[in-house]
Amino acid sequence: MTRLTVALRDTAARVDAATPAHRDRAVDALRAFAVLGVVLGHWLVTALVADGRSLRAASPLQHMPWLAPVSWAFQTLAVFFLVGGHVATRSYASARKRGTPYRRWLHARLARLFGPVVAVLTLWTVVTLALLLSDAEYGTVRTLVKLALSPMWFLLVFAVLTAATPLVARLHPLWPLAVVLHVDVLRFGLGAPDGLGWLNLAAGWLVPYTLGAAWTRGELDGRRSGWVLLGGGTAATAALVAWAGYPAAMVGVPGAEVSNLNPPTLAAVTFGLAQCGLALLLRDRLRHAMRGPVAWAAVALVNLSAMTVFLWHQTALMATTAALLPAGPLPGLHTVPEGLGWVAARLPWLVAFVLALAVCGAAFRTWERGGGGRRLRPSKVVRAHHPVTERAPHV
């Protein structure tokens, strides 16, 4: 073995040895998969098409709707909220046992959640002003800023649910599910204003969040719960898409009349139930897989950089696209995503996006815990009083 391989194995062994025996590694693995799913999904279905001096957003799902199943694999937000509800309710219960006031508990969690946002907002404020002063096309600036800041909606929703943890900790998931159902009936069945759908932004993601709380209470320990959620969610989603007219894509598609995600529809929520059921069924296998030091170290590293990856992955995509504009239009990067040729050309660009994201990570990694220059190592994180499962993103 090379020295690098030996060093990596030694590091993995140290991380594994530093991990408390009582730690549920499946929680970290589910979060890591959810983070990577969102990132890869955005990179695969988000295209910036060069049109003269401007860039416009496009999606291969516009031109190839039969690729909708791709969105099923990478739209993993429900798993975010499932894990987040589990971790937040567990953390709050622990804080109460220690006598930690609610205000202090909430401040600590939101500080770790929003600290890294400052760097993103600062950079994109400067970039936006520079683009406007350089007479860049307004549509291009709007497209770039919208993509860069799109992860923020998730953080805002999650912050609200985190603040409401003491109130929703024992809420049955059927209650927010009923809200989503009635909102969709009013919107799509009775012609109510579309603005009513934004109630589902909270109610829709509250469903997996409260499932996470039920996980904490031990109500989802048996495999029967996982199978019920997986089977019921899959059947309901299939029925809604096949007979109720819901879109098959579980992500937003530019130009589509209805989006399953903005705001969440009943189909998105039932699909999330199926995902949560699958996640629960995979817990034992993930715990077994995470016994391997290398696999566990990789998961710990993703969790350690989760906020950086989540907040900066769109910036990495846009930076790569913009930097190579003078050499364009390059297939899979600047061209219209209208055929399998674009898909084949896109895949190699994922490597460039990863490298650009690594640069962002190196530049802004110190903001992962809300600022400061102290370097974090996986072996220290897993030994800390607030482990990775209580770190950002708080999902």
Side-chain angles (χ1 to χ4, degrees):
M1 294 188 292
T2 64
R3 290 184 178 179
L4 178 60
T5 301
V6 173
L8 290 176
R9 288 186 178 276
D10 288 344
T11 299
R14 288 197 298 271
V15 173
D16 182 64
T19 304
H22 59 79
R23 188 187 191 88
D24 189 350
R25 300 186 182 193
V27 173
D28 300 89
L30 287 172
R31 181 190 290 113
F33 291 147
V35 170
L36 296 179
V38 170
V39 171
L40 289 175
H42 283 163
W43 284 351
L44 288 171
V45 303
T46 303
L48 288 172
V49 179
D51 185 11
R53 295 179 59 248
S54 65
L55 288 172
R56 60 182 176 85
S59 170
L61 298 178
Q62 288 176 279
H63 305 278
M64 296 173 284
W66 48 270
L67 283 179
V70 172
S71 68
W72 305 346
F74 295 107
Q75 206 289 72
T76 53
L77 287 174
V79 179
F80 271 128
F81 285 93
L82 171 73
V83 175
H86 174 55
V87 170
T89 50
R90 189 179 61 185
S91 171
Y92 181 65
S94 177
R96 291 189 64 185
K97 289 181 180 179
R98 297 193 305 269
T100 302
Y102 165 76
R103 181 179 299 180
R104 185 184 303 172
W105 171 83
L106 181 63
H107 178 270
R109 294 191 69 79
L110 294 188
R112 294 197 299 271
L113 185 66
F114 284 108
V117 172
V118 175
V120 178
L121 292 178
T122 300
L123 176 68
W124 275 98
T125 298
V126 173
V127 170
T128 301
L129 291 174
L131 289 173
L132 292 175
L133 291 175
S134 65
D135 201 29
E137 185 191 41
Y138 175 76
T140 296
V141 177
R142 182 176 181 275
T143 296
L144 296 178
V145 172
K146 184 177 179 180
L147 287 176
L149 301 185
S150 59
M152 303 301 176
W153 75 260
F154 163 79
L155 298 182
L156 291 173
V157 173
F158 198 86
V160 171
L161 296 185
T162 299
T165 295
L167 298 177
V168 303
R170 303 197 67 84
L171 182 68
H172 197 286
L174 285 178
W175 288 107
L177 180 61
V179 173
V180 175
L181 171 62
H182 284 82
V183 166
D184 274 19
V185 168
L186 291 173
R187 285 180 64 201
F188 302 129
L190 301 178
D194 286 341
L196 184 66
W198 291 105
L199 290 174
N200 286 350
L201 192 59
W205 300 120
L206 187 56
V207 173
Y209 192 88
T210 51
L211 280 174
W215 178 1
T216 300
R217 296 193 300 269
E219 297 174 5
L220 303 178
D221 288 345
R223 293 183 63 81
R224 181 176 179 274
S225 298
W227 283 115
V228 169
L229 288 170
L230 176 59
T234 300
T237 305
L240 290 170
V241 171
W243 296 304
Y246 284 83
M250 291 299 153
V251 296
V253 179
E257 184 177 351
V258 176
S259 167
N260 272 323
L261 200 58
N262 298 309
T265 64
L266 181 61
V269 174
T270 57
F271 176 77
L273 290 176
Q275 281 190 320
C276 291
L278 180 60
L280 294 172
L281 289 171
L282 290 175
R283 285 177 297 180
D284 289 340
R285 292 192 178 186
L286 288 173
R287 289 177 187 125
H288 178 75
M290 291 301 105
R291 293 175 186 171
V294 174
W296 170 239
V299 164
L301 180 62
V302 172
N303 277 271
L304 184 64
S305 304
M307 276 293 285
T308 300
V309 170
F310 182 76
L311 287 173
W312 291 99
H313 72 278
Q314 292 285 56
T315 298
L317 181 153
M318 290 183 285
T320 303
T321 304
L324 294 175
L325 268 176
L330 298 174
L333 192 63
H334 306 115
T335 53
V336 178
E338 56 185 357
L340 287 178
W342 183 91
V343 176
R346 181 66 159 195
L347 294 178
W349 287 113
L350 298 181
V351 177
F353 299 157
V354 170
L355 294 176
L357 182 57
V359 172
C360 292
F364 299 102
R365 179 67 186 86
T366 55
W367 292 86
E368 183 75 19
R369 296 185 68 193
R374 187 159 61 97
R375 184 180 179 185
L376 293 177
R377 296 178 181 177
S379 58
K380 291 183 178 180
V381 169
V382 298
R383 287 197 303 265
H385 178 68
H386 298 290
V388 174
T389 53
E390 296 184 8
R391 289 187 182 278
H394 294 267
V395 296

